[in-house]
Every structure is written in C-alpha cells, then in structure tokens.
C-alpha cells in the first residue's frame, strides 16, 4: 500500500492565510460547525476530501423538507449534507449540489467513505499548537448577517420551488379551493422562514374568501 504525507493547516492558520487546499478548508469548515454544536464528518473520494454535516432530519422528514432527498447521505440512521467546501465562493447551493454529485459517483464506484469527526476524537489525541495568536479580523457582523440571510433565502426557495409550483397551479385554476390553496402556499413559505412570501399568500387568501386560517396565520407572521 502506498503512504502519503500531507501538511495540514490548523483552522486559524487557514483563516490567517485566507486559503488552503481541500483538507485545510474541510478542517476549518468542520471546526466552525463543531464549535456551535453541529456534528460533522469528513467525506473521502479518490484523491479528495470534503465535508458533511448532520442535518438533524429523520428519513421521513427529509422527504418533506428537501427538494431531493438524494442530495443527502444516509449513514448510521442519520442524514448528512455533503458540502464541497473548495467551492467556497460559489454559495451553499452549489457546494451542496457538487458534494452530493461527487458522493453519488464515488459511491457507485465503491470508493466513497464518510468518517464522523466526534468518534475520531475518541481515537486520536489532540495535537498541541504552540504558535502565538494570529490576528484575524472578521468581517463586520451586519455584513455576515446580510450574507447569511441572503443565502438562507436562496436555499429555502430552492427547497420549496417544486411544491410551490404545484400550489400556484392550483391557485391559477381558481374555484372554491383557491383561498385554501393560497393559505397552504403561505404555510409552506412560512415553514422555511420566507415570511414576506408567506404574508402575501395569507393576505390574498384572507381577501379571497375571508378564510379564517389565513387570517390567523397573518397574525402569526406579524408575531414572528
């Protein structure tokens, strides 16, 4: 068997250098998520490593919550989201889609593996890091928050798009069920945090037929 030796950067080194290869970026990404309590894993495919995180979804819920459950990985009864972190500038949807594609292709070839980080901590002792503190200046908090909200909105819209299309078609057909369909579309948007879109549908439903659930849901949106 061949042996390969590689240099791995610590997460703060990657931040300081503003770059790294696939293993450096994967280590940084997993460290960031683990620091806020999200379980992570390393995915290996031939010649490459990237990240995954525990979605917290059951198999049943994933079928409802995700536009395509095939973009997740079932491992030890948990659903993991693969993230091709080297596409760091391309946005979450792209990194997710690419990570899922790489996993499927390598899995078909019998060459994909997923290693959870937390069990690995039990096997391997932490390595000491003696370098003095590196001065890392993060972006302004409002800049981070704006970018996060924008990306979250894109991800949410991508997950609801197919079901939203079906409900919009039902609304366009008209008839006695229009107000109900508008309310259902509003609920779908609200479940994914798209409150402006939800408000518009609840308001339309309330105006169409004074639909009581829509009026109640308008109040819920304002409360949120």
């Amino acid at each position: 068997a061949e042996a390969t030796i590689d240099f791995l950067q610590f997460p703060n080194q990657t931040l300081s250098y503003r770059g790294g290869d696939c293993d450096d970026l994967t280590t940084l990404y997993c460290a960031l998520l683990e620091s806020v309590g999200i379980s992570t894993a390393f995915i290996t495919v031939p010649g490459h490593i990237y990240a995954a995180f525990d979605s917290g979804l059951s198999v049943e819920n994933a079928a409802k919550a995700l536009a395509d459950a095939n973009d997740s990985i079932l491992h030890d009864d948990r659903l993991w989201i693969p993230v091709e972190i080297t596409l760091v500038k391309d946005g979450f949807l792209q990194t997710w889609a690419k990570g899922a594609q790489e996993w499927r292709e390598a899995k078909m070839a019998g060459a994909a593996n997923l290693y959870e980080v937390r069990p690995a901590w039990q096997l391997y002792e932490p390595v000491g890091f003696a370098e003095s503190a590196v001065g890392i200046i993060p972006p302004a908090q409002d800049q981070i928050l704006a970018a996060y909200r924008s990306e979250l909105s894109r991800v949410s819209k991508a997950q609801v798009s197919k079901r939203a299309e079906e409900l919009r078609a039902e609304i366009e057909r008209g008839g006695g069920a229009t107000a109900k369909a508008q309310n259902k579309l509003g609920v779908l948007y609200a479940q994914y945090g798209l409150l402006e879109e939800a408000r518009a549908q609840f308001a339309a439903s309330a105006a169409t037929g004074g639909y009581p659930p829509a009026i109640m849901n308008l109040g819920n949106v304002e409360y949120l």
Side-chain angles (χ1 to χ4, degrees):
E2 293 184 2
T4 301
I5 298 176
D6 194 10
F7 173 77
L8 297 177
Q9 295 173 182
F10 284 88
N12 61 338
Q13 289 177 313
T14 302
L15 287 172
S16 178
Y17 302 156
R18 300 179 67 83
D21 60 13
C22 60
D23 47 37
D24 301 321
L25 294 171
T26 297
T27 300
L28 170 60
Y29 189 72
C30 290
L32 289 169
L33 292 181
E34 290 286 357
S35 73
V36 291
I38 298 173
S39 297
T40 61
F42 295 144
I43 292 176
T44 60
V45 297
H48 187 45
I49 186 171
Y50 60 104
F53 64 86
D54 186 354
S55 69
L57 295 170
S58 66
V59 175
E60 295 77 15
N61 287 338
K64 301 174 184 177
L66 304 179
D68 187 352
N70 289 324
D71 285 341
S72 60
I73 300 167
L74 180 61
H75 178 78
D76 287 345
D77 296 322
R78 295 156 74 189
L79 278 172
W80 299 79
I81 302 298
V83 184
E84 177 47 270
I85 193 59
T86 58
L87 302 180
V88 63
K89 294 184 179 180
D90 292 350
F92 181 76
L93 284 174
Q94 287 285 82
T95 63
W96 180 7
K98 183 64 175 176
Q101 177 191 347
E102 291 173 330
W103 172 265
R104 287 193 297 267
E105 291 173 354
K107 191 69 175 175
M108 287 181 64
N113 293 286
L114 185 147
Y115 302 97
E116 295 183 41
V117 168
R118 294 184 185 185
W121 287 343
Q122 309 304 315
L123 292 175
Y124 303 101
E125 294 183 3
V127 178
F129 184 59
E131 185 173 323
S132 59
V134 180
I136 300 168
I137 303 175
Q141 186 173 351
D142 57 350
Q143 181 183 348
I144 295 173
L145 188 58
Y148 168 75
R149 285 176 172 165
S150 174
E151 195 65 20
L152 180 61
S153 177
R154 289 182 64 226
V155 172
S156 296
K157 288 176 180 177
Q159 299 313 303
V160 304
S161 59
K162 183 178 179 181
R163 280 164 288 175
E165 241 176 71
E166 294 169 354
L167 286 169
R168 278 194 291 267
E170 188 177 333
I171 292 167
E172 288 171 8
R173 287 195 294 270
T178 299
K180 186 176 181 179
Q182 288 169 325
N183 183 66
K184 286 174 66 177
L185 181 54
V187 169
L188 177 64
Y189 283 137
Q191 287 174 331
Y192 286 82
L194 301 169
L195 297 185
E196 290 303 320
E197 291 83 352
R199 179 188 283 112
Q201 294 302 321
F202 293 144
S205 177
T208 298
Y211 192 57
I215 297 170
M216 178 72 74
N217 285 331
L218 267 176
N220 291 334
V221 167
E222 296 307 323
Y223 174 77
L224 291 172

